[in-house]
């Protein structure tokens, strides 16, 4: 996996590697929160998207194997937050394969699954994934609102 | 930030005070405990979300399973105290339309009793 797809090192808010275990996601969340200390309102949606995608990667892309590494890189430039999630799994595009959720079903009819990727698409402005030859690269982009002026 | 659920009697039902993160690592354990609360038909359960920092789709899934089980057993499941970020997750996912969510503890107790 070449680093040329990623922002330069000095521009990164975060460059975090975690073992491929869902229990490690909480630790990633702490690192994300620290990295976004200047924009605290972004921590929750970013962490939610990362959990949804990384859980998918661990359970489906890696078949639950805990000894792989997932890497998360974040940068902020020109009013956009860029998030990259890299793995070394088999080709897996969460955005191509997810079924649409049933938002209008009532509690009896609503199926249990289908939500995670939908929420990522709702919270992020751009989402894409591709296989690099050695793993998957997910790229999320969120356009940032200008901070309100303090009055 | 791990997850805890403190369950105790409340009026004619039970209250579970949640705290921490309800996510893909912790939701499996909570699923078991939540569904157990509806083993007896007609059970009334209030989930207090005031101290819950975070929920993901894994957590929503467990809440939905609880709501389905409540309905199947003529029980009731009510949620209260959702923080703004958590409430937004419920809103985006459409869960506010299908899960009984009220504002605070007082409203939760009232809803559960009626």
């Amino acid at each position: 996996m070449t680093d040329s797809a990623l922002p330069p090192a000095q521009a990164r808010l975060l460059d975090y590697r975690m073992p491929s275990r869902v229990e490690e996601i909480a630790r990633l969340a702490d690192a994300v929160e620290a990295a976004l200390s200047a924009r605290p309102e972004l921590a929750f949606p970013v962490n939610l998207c990362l959990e949804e995608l990384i859980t998918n990667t661990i359970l489906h892309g890696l078949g639950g194997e805990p000894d792989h590494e997932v890497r998360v890189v974040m940068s902020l430039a020109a009013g956009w937050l860029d998030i990259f999630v890299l793995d070394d799994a088999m080709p897996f595009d969460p955005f191509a394969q997810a079924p649409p959720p049933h938002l209008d079903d009532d509690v009896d009819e609503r199926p249990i699954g289908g939500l995670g990727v939908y929420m990522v698409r709702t919270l992020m402005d751009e989402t894409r994934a591709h296989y690099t030859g050695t793993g998957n690269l997910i790229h999320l982009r969120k356009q940032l609102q200008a901070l309100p002026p303090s009055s | 930030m791990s997850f805890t659920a403190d369950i105790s009697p409340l009026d004619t039902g039970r209250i579970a005070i949640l705290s921490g993160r309800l996510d893909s690592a912790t939701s499996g354990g909570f699923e078991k405990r939540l569904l157990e609360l509806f083993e007896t038909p007609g059970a009334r359960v209030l989930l207090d979300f005031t101290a819950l920092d975070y929920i993901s789709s894994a957590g929503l899934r467990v809440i939905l399973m609880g709501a389905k089980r409540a309905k199947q057993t003529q029980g009731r499941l009510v949620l209260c105290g959702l923080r703004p970020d958590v409430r937004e997750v419920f809103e985006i996912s459409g869960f506010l339309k299908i899960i009984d969510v009220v504002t605070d503890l007082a409203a939760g107790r009232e809803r559960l009793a009626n």
Side-chain angles (χ1 to χ4, degrees):
Chain A
M1 167 70 213
T2 160
D3 266 22
S4 63
L6 301 177
Q10 64 271 22
R12 295 173 195 167
L13 294 177
L14 183 75
D15 190 343
Y16 186 95
R17 295 165 192 265
M18 56 173 272
S20 54
R21 297 174 56 241
V22 296
E23 293 78 18
E24 294 290 330
I25 292 175
R27 226 184 299 258
L28 165 67
D30 288 341
V32 167
E33 202 171 320
L36 291 173
S37 57
R39 302 292 303 238
E41 76 284 2
L42 294 174
F44 194 110
V46 168
N47 275 322
L48 184 59
C49 292
L50 287 173
E51 175 181 333
E52 302 299 346
L53 294 171
I54 293 174
T55 302
N56 268 351
T57 294
I58 292 172
L59 297 182
H60 303 301
L62 292 171
E65 289 173 16
D67 52 346
H68 291 255
E69 184 180 88
V70 176
R71 183 179 177 197
V72 179
V73 176
M74 287 198 318
S75 66
L76 202 158
W80 285 82
L81 178 69
D82 284 279
I83 304 165
F84 301 86
V85 183
L86 298 90
D87 64 45
D88 63 352
M90 298 294 290
F92 176 70
D93 182 345
F95 306 114
Q97 294 162 20
H102 299 230
L103 292 185
D104 292 319
D105 286 355
D106 71 19
V107 73
D108 289 321
E109 294 155 1
R110 182 79 187 254
I112 300 283
L115 260 181
V117 171
Y118 170 78
M119 292 205 292
V120 176
R121 282 211 170 99
T122 303
L123 292 170
M124 294 288 134
D125 293 308
E126 293 179 20
T127 62
R128 58 183 89 105
H130 74 272
Y131 187 70
T132 65
T134 55
N136 299 286
L137 172 62
I138 296 172
H139 183 190
L140 311 176
R141 308 200 75 205
K142 187 169 180 65
Q143 189 164 32
L144 304 183
Q145 313 303 320
L147 288 172
S150 43
S151 51
Chain B
M1 269 198 286
S2 59
F3 174 79
T4 63
D6 280 321
I7 300 172
S8 56
L10 176 74
D11 303 330
T12 58
R14 273 179 288 191
I15 181 168
I17 297 177
L18 311 184
S19 81
R21 292 172 51 99
L22 189 55
D23 59 16
S24 56
T26 59
S27 62
F30 182 55
E31 174 188 326
K32 187 170 181 303
R33 299 182 68 199
L34 179 61
L35 296 182
E36 270 170 6
L37 293 176
F38 294 102
E39 269 167 5
T40 310
R44 290 163 185 255
V45 176
L46 178 62
L47 299 184
D48 185 340
F49 272 54
T50 309
L52 193 77
D53 297 310
Y54 171 94
I55 193 167
S56 65
S57 70
L60 289 180
R61 207 167 297 134
V62 169
I63 300 299
L64 179 61
M65 292 174 75
K68 286 177 186 273
R69 180 65 59 89
K71 198 162 177 192
Q72 287 159 5
T73 59
Q74 295 79 49
R76 295 202 69 169
L77 179 66
V78 177
L79 277 55
C80 70
L82 274 62
R83 295 203 194 151
D85 282 330
V86 171
R87 192 186 166 86
E88 193 186 341
V89 176
F90 274 73
E91 187 154 357
I92 296 171
S93 61
F95 271 44
L96 284 186
K97 292 190 284 188
I98 59 173
I99 304 291
D100 212 343
V101 176
V102 299
T103 49
D104 57 17
L105 184 57
R109 295 180 74 164
E110 198 187 318
R111 185 94 183 100
L112 208 62
N114 294 320

